Amino acid sequence: MAQQLTFVPPPHELQYYDALFTLADRSRAGRLGGQEAVAFLSLSKLPVEVLKSIWAMSDVPKTNALDRTKFHVSVRLIQMYQNGVKPADSALSCPAGTPAMRAAYFEGVTG
């Protein structure tokens, strides 16, 4: 069984993460199915194989959908990948001494 990753955006980033979720959740279902998630997360311009791995790590327990909490994990993993940072723990903390990271980038989305 995959380890469940947890990530709670810090207060100064929460609004950005929630705004991204609102943009991605076009059906207003409160969760993203596969097609909605692929459509939005692909805007990160990460390779498909990386996005598949991010989906697998985020969708724990497996429901084949991303709720707001799982979406936050996905965005954090994308941010870390885009900044070349490996998570230090299951809470997706940055290793000590890591410089400030740029926000996750999604083509056509401004924050």
Side-chain angles (χ1 to χ4, degrees), residues 5-7 13 20 22 31 33 48 65 78 82 85 91-92 96 108-109:
L5 301 175
T6 58
F7 176 70
E13 293 180 8
L20 291 175
T22 299
R31 63 177 184 76
V48 172
I78 287 169
Q82 289 175 336
V85 176
L92 303 180
V109 176

Side-chain angles (χ1 to χ4, degrees), residues 12-108:
H12 67 280
E13 293 180 8
L14 183 59
Q15 185 176 359
Y16 176 68
Y17 277 76
D18 285 343
L20 291 175
F21 184 80
T22 299
L23 283 172
D25 184 19
R26 293 183 173 214
S27 67
R28 302 296 178 245
R31 63 177 184 76
L32 305 179
Q35 287 184 327
E36 273 185 319
V38 166
F40 187 80
L41 299 179
S42 294
L43 297 174
S44 68
K45 299 302 179 189
L46 294 182
V48 172
E49 291 306 312
V50 171
L51 291 173
K52 285 180 181 180
S53 294
I54 287 172
W55 174 275
M57 289 186 282
S58 301
D59 187 25
V60 177
K62 188 173 181 172
T63 60
N64 295 317
L66 300 178
D67 60 16
R68 188 175 299 267
T69 302
K70 291 178 178 181
F71 180 80
H72 288 173
V73 169
S74 293
V75 172
R76 176 63 168 190
L77 288 167
I78 287 169
Q79 177 189 29
M80 295 184 98
Y81 189 88
Q82 289 175 336
N83 283 275
V85 176
K86 292 186 185 248
D89 53 33
S90 64
L92 303 180
S93 302
C94 291
T98 302
M101 292 191 298
R102 294 180 315 274
Y105 169 79
F106 296 93
E107 185 176 82

